Amino acid sequence: QLQLVESGGGLVQPGGSLRLSCAASGFYVIGWFRQAPGKEREGISCISSRGGSTNYADSVKGRFTISRDNAKNTVYLQMNSLKPEDTAVYYCAAERSFAPYCPLRRSYFGSWGQGTQVTVSS
């Protein structure tokens, strides 16, 4: 089991930005998921172990950017132009893989962080 630690959540106004971080050492595919109260947990972005491949949910394309710094063992999710509907608990997930792609599916990931709250409101 890999221990994942998310950070960077908080309260922002609509149109604002936040950057989430996930500490995950090693060659892991990393995914970001979110879950709002009463809704299913949805995948929003993922990145391959070497950072060469990324995927985004349609709802965040053009606004969110995933990246990784393997020297710092950290994956980032830069969130811009935030909307109230982005409000949710955001989770980092990991799966060991050297594949040059990442599947944005919940069932693919075996390790999960505890989540960090993101609230977008005036």
Side-chain angles (χ1 to χ4, degrees):
Q1 294 291 325
L2 175 66
Q3 184 177 22
L4 302 174
V5 180
E6 305 106 325
S7 62
L11 173 64
V12 297
Q13 295 183 340
S17 298
L18 283 175
R19 188 178 73 167
L20 304 183
S21 299
C22 176
S25 62
F27 294 100
Y28 289 90
V29 172
I30 300 295
W32 284 100
F33 295 75
R34 68 185 182 187
Q35 187 167 23
K39 294 188 176 182
E40 297 284 340
R41 187 173 299 188
E42 63 173 337
I44 56 173
S45 189
C46 61
I47 188 167
S48 63
S49 61
R50 293 183 180 272
S53 180
T54 59
N55 282 320
Y56 297 92
D58 289 341
S59 60
V60 305
K61 285 182 179 178
R63 299 190 297 121
F64 292 8
T65 302
I66 191 170
S67 63
R68 70 190 304 155
D69 186 339
N70 286 329
K72 297 181 179 179
N73 299 314
T74 302
V75 172
Y76 303 99
L77 183 67
Q78 179 67 46
M79 306 186 294
N80 298 325
S81 302
L82 284 164
K83 306 174 181 179
E85 50 263 46
D86 294 318
T87 296
V89 176
Y90 283 69
Y91 298 89
C92 177
E95 181 67 30
R96 177 175 287 183
S97 176
F98 294 103
Y101 59 85
C102 66
L104 197 53
R105 302 192 304 270
R106 291 171 57 186
S107 61
Y108 178 78
F109 297 93
S111 300
W112 295 81
Q114 294 299 305
T116 184
Q117 177 70 47
V118 172
T119 302
V120 185
S121 176
S122 298

